[in-house]
Amino acid sequence: MLDLKDVAKNFDAVVARLTARGGALDLSAFQALFAERKRLYTVVEAEQAKRNKLNDELAKASPDERKQRAADMKALSSAIKDQEGQLKALEEKLTTLLYDVPNVPDESVPVGASADDNTVVRTWGEKPTFLFTPKQHFELGEQLGLLDFERAAKVSGSRFAFLKGDLAKLERALVSFMIDQHTAKGYVELLPPYLVTRAAMTGTGQLPKFEADAFKTVGEHELFLIPTAEVPVTNYHADEILEAPLPLKYCAFSPCFRAEAGAGGKDTRGLVRMHQFHKVELVKFARPDQSMAELDALTKDACEILEKLGLHHRVVLLCTGDMGFSSLKTFDIEVWLPGQNTFREISSCSNFGDFQARRAKIRFRQNKGDKPQLVHTLNGSGLAIGRTLVAILENGQREDGTVKLPEALWPYLGGTKELTALR
RNA sequence: GGACAGAUGGCCGAGUGGUCGAAGGCACCUGACUCGAAAUCAGGCAUACCGGGAACGGUAUCGUAGGUUCGAAUCCUACUCUGUCCGCCA
């Protein structure tokens, strides 16, 4: 969330820059609430000071005197309690308001309304050429008998899949391959919980605004299925003052669960948009003056996976209108899918500035003995496993429907170098 | 799931109704000593907000939320988490 004082101080500028994100945003109540809060604060604090003073006197007074003045104190106390209640209600209103306000985009983010206004930053590799019409991944997978949506629908409904045989093995291989690549670069592997509290979801910004997108447990213990490992891994350091030198770098494999509310009929076929998918996530905690450089490095680390797999891709800088709620600046990595004849997002790398750190209370000291200040948090997919698998299928396909697998994965596949029909 | 114990500053830990933002220790910072370091000594050292140029002053915060009381770290209730024992279980 944004800094309360900062919003109050630079109200018009903040509103102007938030407007560039598009979407409805009503901050009209903010200033009045903020002024009223300030006024009440002053009043309450003065009353509290009075109470504390009288109390000190009372403590030293004789029993008789104490009895006499107790009634006055009681009146004062209950008046204060009343005001404190009002103040708390105000505070809650303001917080609720701010919780629903997205991050202010960084200066370097291009202003735009939709994905059409994103900027391609760089491209790696070239589109592979085919002497036949390339198929989509689900056709290939189903024809090889390695991918089963029908039975998944029977068991779980739409947007689920069974992977079978070597395709399931490929999924596992991708996980290990990616984790090994990242840990070799100094990312510490974390295997996080997949169910998290409301507080954790609020800390990273999924709640309160996007509750409809999340799966939630029933029963007296309310827990949320993580939509990304970002949630448990970022909150790993919630309420902490980091003492170790920054940046802290983590990578984490986890399943991700998304309700995909509002996705409507989008990407109904194939593995591209599922209620459950696997992802290796990169998370960093960085110093504010270094976070933008760390974002570039993180994005490169994610790209490198695609390079090692030989997959044609490009890096896109999202415009103000296409960015996620909590983000200060986001690069998407898009991989080429010949079957769909398009680039598809396979990773989203963001610098959140202090937006999440303020919610989750994650701080650090610039130098020993300094006052703690908020860290900057970053994360990015490194990469989405399911979509990587899609890219491998579509890019590696042969005319006969078999698929050649990237050499980098061979050590992880125990001798399997291509996908062929099951049995 | 049942029983008991506990939750205090960056860390450890004392504190059972007022003089407690909180002893003591560790860590850290400054200074003295030293060629330098260690050791030792002296001082400093929570967070947020408000006022002030600053010194400083005020307010809140002792797991969370309520309650009792003139007054709560301290008493009461609920919840959360941790530990130990019992039961159950992959």
Side-chain angles (χ1 to χ4, degrees), chain A residues 7 16-17 24 45 53 91 103 138 197 202 220 238 243 295 312 324 333 346 353 399 407:
Chain A
V7 175
R17 293 177 58 199
E45 285 197 355
K53 200 172 172 189
E91 202 84 67
N103 203 354
F138 49 85
T197 60
T202 305
E220 67 273 35
E243 300 288 355
L295 175 63
H312 174 48
I333 304 171
I346 197 166
E399 189 157 19
E407 204 169 326

Side-chain angles (χ1 to χ4, degrees), chain A residues 349-382:
Chain A
C349 303
S350 301
N351 181 2
F352 301 94
D354 60 16
F355 189 86
Q356 294 180 326
R358 186 171 295 108
R359 290 175 166 230
K361 297 191 188 68
I362 312 169
R363 296 174 297 169
F364 79 107
R365 294 180 208 275
Q366 187 94 308
N367 299 296
K368 295 247 176 194
D370 280 2
K371 281 187 174 280
Q373 56 177 303
L374 296 170
V375 295
H376 280 192
T377 58
L378 300 91
N379 70 53
S381 347

Side-chain angles (χ1 to χ4, degrees), chain A residues 26-43:
Chain A
D26 185 11
L27 274 177
S28 56
F30 179 85
Q31 279 179 306
L33 282 173
F34 187 78
E36 176 60 7
R37 185 191 83 121
K38 188 163 181 176
R39 189 194 67 79
L40 246 185
Y41 244 111
T42 315
V43 173

Side-chain angles (χ1 to χ4, degrees), chain A residues 216-267:
Chain A
K216 190 165 71 167
T217 60
V218 293
E220 67 273 35
H221 250 63
E222 179 192 66
L223 287 171
F224 294 83
L225 282 156
I226 57 171
T228 156
E230 161 193 354
V231 178
V233 176
T234 303
N235 282 284
Y236 182 70
H237 286 303
D239 292 310
E240 289 185 21
I241 297 171
L242 304 176
E243 300 288 355
L246 300 179
L248 292 175
K249 297 159 67 175
Y250 296 102
C251 66
F253 159 77
S254 85
C256 304
F257 303 94
R258 301 188 180 178
E260 293 296 346
K266 242 191 253 174
D267 308 315

